[in-house]
Amino acid sequence: MAAEAQHIAVIGGGWAGCTAAVELTQAGHQVTLFEASRQLGGRARRVDINEIALDNGQHILLGAYNQTLQMMRKVGIDPASAMLRLPLQMCYPADSGGMTFTAPRLPAPLHLLFALWRAQGLERQDKLALARFSSAARWMGWQLHDDCSVSTLLERFDQTDRLIRLMWRPLCIAALNTRPEHASAQVFLAVLRDSLGARRRASDMLLPRLDLSSLFPQRAAAFIEERGGNVESGCSIRQLRRNGEQWQLQGNDANLDFDAVVIATPPETAATLLDGSADAALLATLRSFEYEPITTCYLQYASDTRLPRPFFALLDDPENAGKNVDDTAAWGQFVFDRGQLDPTQAGLLAVVISASSAAIQAGHEELAKAVAAQLAATFKQPQLAAPSWTKVISEKRATFACTPGLVRPANDSGLDKLMLAGDYTASDYPATLESAVRSGKQAAQELLVQLR
């Protein structure tokens, strides 16, 4: 317990804000968590559509997400039961022109060597290129002297066109939500370092069985309230200003004073709240981010519809989309069988399209038709072209564009007892749940130092 409990406001109920609020509550402070929407979770939350609980985006977590897993356990979530743990894999449907790459449950790096040796759909030169890249990255300590694009990095190490298309490109887009020609090679290497370059369990893929709000944010809210804190959903904070030794929050119909604040909103919202308080450089940085969307297309089929695996990679070829019926379907990058994660969702498939600006231009209805056609052609099952219903959910600002040399602000705003938290703050990770949790924890730790 803290020597003297302080009243602390956390603005934003996403994963970063929930983490900061839990950490500060555990330290013995009186925390109030404010969230503008009715549902906690931010850009990783549940949405209720026609009495069906969906996620605003299908997620894969990694075994390397140590702090996320620790936070889940802290608030009473057992990751082993809440998520399906699978070995590292990049598997395409049979006869689709892809590959099958699955790591066995062996100690690192043997699991990758055996996966590479057994991989189907890769030629000898592809396997040698992958081995060469992995060895060189380890030798470099997963670090670059100067950041560059992922495409440039792959070109430097003579990666084959087939390997880029089947592995590096989909991994880059999935992890950074930025296409390889524009994505930061250094951030991509950091992700590979903590997954491919770490112990075997770190490379495991974790698929949530629970909806994203239940996976952490709702239990975080219960943790806070059970210890005397408050969670105010549907409460938008419009302005923040200094009021003597305290910070005054203006929102809804009340002005409230707090001893300290953590702003865990998107960066442009943080800039609005800090306008008039923070220095010009910080405000400019917060307003400088560009964003990429992520779109998830849900398709409901008969309850006995089941894929051979819980998820597959898909060949996406948007450059040729629109030339004919088959090509129009080539947008989805991964498909998930929700019924294998939650039996109540039998027959529901979720198709993810990262960096989806081009995909959503024709509208949600056309995209759903294209994805259904893609599934029917890929799995050679014509009935998949006619789902009973579809729902497209697109987060237009799902993540920041993770470009080379991107400037990201520190957690410390430079203002007394005011911290920033979010997946956009300074980190070697892209915008992921893990970077959000890390940022929330770091913001809380730095604030606790100031409060001593």
Side-chain angles (χ1 to χ4, degrees):
M1 296 292 287
E4 182 178 352
Q6 303 284 298
H7 289 79
I8 304 174
V10 177
I11 307 173
W15 287 58
C18 286
T19 297
V22 167
E23 291 291 291
L24 293 166
T25 297
Q26 187 178 48
H29 294 290
Q30 183 76 29
V31 176
T32 301
L33 176 63
F34 295 95
E35 168 54 42
S37 71
R38 294 293 178 183
Q39 186 68 260
L40 296 177
R43 286 163 289 125
R45 68 188 185 281
R46 182 182 73 237
V47 293
D48 297 310
I49 307 292
N50 297 327
E51 299 183 352
I52 299 175
L54 303 175
D55 289 324
N56 69 321
Q58 176 66 50
H59 279 63
I60 297 180
L61 289 77
L62 295 178
Y65 287 7
N66 291 324
Q67 293 195 25
T68 301
L69 299 177
Q70 289 172 7
M71 287 303 302
M72 287 180 184
R73 296 186 187 99
K74 184 175 292 189
V75 300
I77 296 291
D78 176 20
S81 59
M83 292 180 287
L84 174 65
R85 179 180 283 266
L86 298 172
L88 172 70
Q89 55 193 269
M90 183 67 75
C91 298
Y92 292 79
D95 302 322
S96 67
M99 69 175 186
T100 300
F101 181 98
T102 304
R105 299 190 183 279
L106 294 173
L110 291 177
H111 68 309
L112 294 180
L113 294 175
F114 271 80
L116 186 59
W117 177 61
R118 300 190 309 180
Q120 300 176 4
L122 294 180
E123 302 296 333
R124 181 174 181 273
Q125 60 266 33
D126 303 321
K127 295 181 180 182
L128 289 175
L130 177 55
R132 183 169 59 249
F133 178 89
S134 300
S135 298
R138 288 176 185 273
W139 179 80
M140 296 187 307
W142 309 94
Q143 291 287 330
L144 296 173
H145 291 297
D146 296 299
D147 201 0
C148 62
S149 72
V150 170
S151 291
T152 298
L153 178 70
L154 298 176
E155 183 179 350
R156 287 178 184 172
F157 287 97
D158 298 319
Q159 299 300 282
T160 64
D161 291 342
R162 182 168 179 79
L163 188 61
I164 291 173
R165 186 186 186 207
L166 296 182
M167 176 168 280
W168 297 131
R169 181 175 182 273
L171 279 180
C172 175
I173 293 176
L176 276 64
N177 194 34
T178 308
R179 297 190 178 279
E181 56 268 25
H182 305 300
S184 165
Q186 182 54 71
V187 175
F188 187 55
L189 284 174
V191 174
L192 297 180
R193 174 199 67 207
D194 290 350
S195 53
L196 301 184
R199 59 192 178 90
R200 184 200 59 78
R201 285 181 63 85
S203 69
D204 284 349
M205 295 176 159
L206 311 180
L207 277 58
R209 297 182 183 275
L210 306 177
D211 67 77
L212 291 174
S213 293
S214 299
L215 191 62
F216 172 63
Q218 287 182 349
R219 280 301 309 154
F223 182 97
I224 295 161
E225 292 178 327
E226 288 165 1
R227 289 156 180 80
N230 300 295
V231 177
E232 302 289 346
S233 58
C235 184
S236 179
I237 303 301
R238 298 188 300 273
Q239 190 173 359
L240 180 68
R241 68 181 183 87
R242 198 71 179 171
N243 185 21
E245 295 296 317
Q246 295 185 305
W247 287 98
Q248 185 175 88
L249 279 60
Q250 299 178 6
N252 289 10
D253 298 321
N255 296 336
L256 304 170
D257 290 339
F258 290 88
D259 299 307
V261 176
V262 175
I263 299 178
T265 66
E268 66 274 13
T269 304
T272 299
L273 290 172
L274 290 173
D275 200 4
S277 299
D279 63 53
L282 175 58
L283 295 177
T285 299
L286 292 171
R287 290 173 173 144
S288 68
F289 288 94
E290 296 182 355
Y291 298 90
E292 291 280 1
I294 298 177
T295 299
T296 301
C297 181
Y298 291 96
L299 307 98
Q300 182 67 61
Y301 298 97
S303 60
D304 60 352
T305 301
R306 183 181 175 91
L307 300 182
R309 292 175 180 268
F311 83 101
F312 281 96
L314 300 172
L315 291 173
D316 74 322
D317 191 12
E319 294 178 359
N320 293 322
K323 293 183 179 179
N324 56 54
V325 174
D326 290 336
D327 287 337
T328 304
W331 282 115
Q333 295 146 359
F334 292 91
V335 57
F336 296 80
D337 186 344
R338 294 292 308 170
Q340 296 190 43
L341 303 174
D342 179 357
T344 67
Q345 296 186 343
L348 181 64
L349 304 184
V351 176
V352 176
I353 309 164
S354 297
S356 58
S357 296
I360 59 178
Q361 286 183 356
H364 287 183
E365 183 177 351
E366 289 302 314
L367 177 59
K369 290 180 182 178
V371 168
Q374 179 186 12
L375 293 178
T378 299
F379 288 98
K380 298 177 175 57
Q381 297 183 30
Q383 70 273 19
L384 295 181
S388 58
W389 60 261
T390 63
K391 178 63 179 178
V392 174
I393 301 176
S394 189
E395 279 287 325
K396 294 184 178 179
R397 292 190 164 202
T399 71
F400 58 84
C402 192
T403 53
L406 182 67
V407 177
R408 298 163 66 176
N411 293 101
D412 190 341
S413 69
L415 299 168
D416 186 42
K417 299 179 183 178
L418 192 147
M419 296 290 163
L420 301 174
D423 57 17
Y424 68 90
T425 60
S427 167
D428 58 358
Y429 259 38
T432 61
L433 294 180
E434 175 72 0
S435 57
V437 170
R438 288 185 184 188
S439 180
K441 188 171 183 178
Q442 183 67 25
Q445 290 174 342
E446 292 188 25
L447 184 56
L448 289 173
V449 172
Q450 290 190 9
L451 293 175
R452 287 174 185 167

